[in-house]
Amino acid sequence: MDLEELRTLLARHARRDSSATALDDVLVSAVQRTAPPAPSMSGVVMALIAQGSKRIALGDRVYEYGAGQYLVASVDLPVTGLFTRARPGEPALGFGLVLRPALIAELLLQAGPGDLPPTGAAAPAGMVVSDASAPLVDAVVRLLRLLESPRDAAVLAPLVKREILWRLITGEQGATVRQLGLADSGLAHVARAVRWIREHYAQPFRVQDVAALSGMSVSAFYRNFQAVTAMSPIQFQKRIRLQEARLLLATRPGDVTGVGLRVGYDSPSQFSREYRRQFGLPPSQDAVLLRDTSADRAPALV
C-alpha cells in the first residue's frame, strides 16, 4: 500500500480555502493543526485518511479513522468532527470522493451474477469505517496523479473513479455502498426522508407522513431511520435547524431572534436554550467566534 505517494499528492494539491479539485467529485485536504470540534454535514462520500486521524460524532455514535483507513457516509448527515492528530509539519491529509448512486447502480447492473456477494436484508448503515485495501489506495493514487495531467484526466478520470467505486462495492463495506445504488433498499428509503426533512426543516411534520413519503410503515421507518442517523426524525430535524442557524449567525450575528424564527423556532428562549445545549455557547457569543475561526474550520470528513 503506497501511502507515501498518496501523502505527497495530497499535500501538493490541497488548498487552504477549499477541498474541491479540478476533478469533479474529488476532494483533498491538508489540516495543519487540531481545532475545536466543528459541526457540519457529512455529504455522501468516501473519505480516506493518508496521515493523521479524524473523529466523527453522529448522534450518540463516534467513528474514528486514521492513516490507511476510510469512512463511507451513505447519507448526508449532521455530524461533528475534529482531526485528533494534526500539527504544522505533519498535517492531517485526506482524500474524498463524492458517491453518486447512479454510478453505483450502473456498476451493479454491469456486474455478473456471481461477481457480487448478496446484499441481503442487513440493516442500512449511515456510516462505516474500514481498512483500505492496497488496490483501493493504488486507484486513489492514480486518480490524484491525473490532477497533474489535465489532457489525460478528461478520459481517464471517469474510468479510475469507476474502479474506486468497484473496490468499495466489492470490499468489506460493500453491502452499505451497494445499497446506495439500489432504488428500493432501506438506505434509499431513509435517504428520501432525510432529503425531505432537510428541505423542509423549518416546518413541523408528522412522523407518519414522512414514513409514508418514504414508502415504509411507521415502525420500519423509525427502526431504519435510527439505524442510519443515530437519531429520531425529530432529533434529526432539530440538529439540522441548529446547524442552519449557526451558518446564518456567521453572517447575521446581531439578529439572533430573526435567525431563530427563520429556522423554525417560535420561542427565542427555546432557540437560545437548545443552541447553547448543542454548541456550548449562547447564539450571540458563538456568532462572534464563528467569524473569527471560520477560516480554520476543516471539512467534515476530508
Side-chain angles (χ1 to χ4, degrees):
M1 184 185 303
D2 193 0
L3 285 180
E4 190 58 43
E5 184 177 2
L6 179 58
R7 295 183 187 109
T8 300
L9 288 165
L10 290 170
R12 183 181 303 155
H13 294 288
R15 305 195 333 246
R16 178 179 173 81
D17 60 333
S18 173
S19 59
T21 69
L23 299 177
D24 290 342
D25 293 339
V26 174
L27 312 170
V28 301
S29 69
V31 177
Q32 299 295 332
R33 61 181 182 273
T34 58
S40 59
M41 299 302 295
S42 67
V44 181
V45 298
M46 180 275 279
L48 171 65
I49 296 290
Q51 183 167 281
S53 60
K54 188 79 187 275
R55 183 177 297 138
I56 299 290
L58 170 65
D60 59 359
R61 302 175 196 159
V62 176
Y63 301 84
E64 188 155 6
Y65 56 118
Q69 294 183 305
Y70 69 91
L71 179 146
V72 170
S74 60
V75 178
D76 192 15
L77 298 167
V79 297
T80 300
L82 76 158
F83 283 97
T84 55
R85 283 191 290 132
R87 56 181 180 268
E90 193 176 334
L93 299 168
F95 162 88
L97 179 67
V98 177
L99 301 177
R100 301 293 179 187
L103 295 178
I104 294 170
E106 183 181 330
L107 285 173
L108 294 178
L109 287 172
Q110 292 179 357
D115 293 337
L116 298 171
T119 299
M127 287 188 170
V128 290
V129 173
S130 278
D131 294 335
S133 67
L136 176 60
V137 173
D138 177 66
V140 170
V141 167
R142 285 185 281 111
L143 182 60
L144 291 174
R145 285 176 189 159
L146 293 173
L147 288 169
E148 299 167 3
S149 304
R151 184 187 65 178
D152 298 331
V155 174
L156 298 180
L159 302 178
V160 184
K161 289 179 194 175
R162 286 169 61 86
E163 180 183 348
I164 291 172
L165 291 177
W166 181 251
R167 299 297 180 192
L168 295 175
I169 287 169
T170 58
E172 184 179 1
Q173 301 299 343
T176 293
V177 180
R178 291 194 295 276
Q179 284 202 37
L180 276 167
L182 300 174
D184 200 39
S185 67
L187 182 62
H189 290 303
V190 172
R192 196 178 307 146
V194 164
R195 284 194 299 271
W196 190 92
I197 295 173
R198 287 203 63 197
E199 291 169 2
H200 303 86
Y201 66 86
Q203 304 174 16
F205 66 86
R206 297 192 315 160
V207 172
Q208 53 264 47
D209 292 337
V210 181
L213 178 71
S214 304
M216 288 185 281
S217 69
V218 173
S219 59
F221 175 65
Y222 264 115
R223 184 173 62 254
N224 284 282
F225 196 94
Q226 181 79 28
V228 171
T229 68
M231 289 171 264
S232 72
I234 300 301
Q235 289 172 328
F236 183 89
Q237 181 195 44
K238 183 186 296 186
R239 188 69 59 86
I240 296 296
R241 282 180 171 181
L242 292 172
Q243 289 201 1
E244 292 293 334
R246 204 168 196 240
L247 290 173
L248 290 170
L249 284 170
T251 56
R252 299 167 58 183
D255 188 21
V256 172
T257 299
V259 166
L261 289 171
R262 182 169 174 177
V263 301
Y265 283 93
D266 296 327
S267 166
S269 61
Q270 182 188 10
F271 171 56
S272 182
R273 183 171 59 253
E274 292 189 355
Y275 190 100
R276 181 168 189 163
R277 187 179 301 129
Q278 179 64 37
F279 300 121
L281 289 172
S284 56
Q285 292 182 28
D286 193 41
V288 175
L289 290 178
L290 284 172
R291 286 184 299 170
D292 294 340
T293 64
S294 60
D296 294 328
R297 292 190 176 274
L301 299 186
V302 296

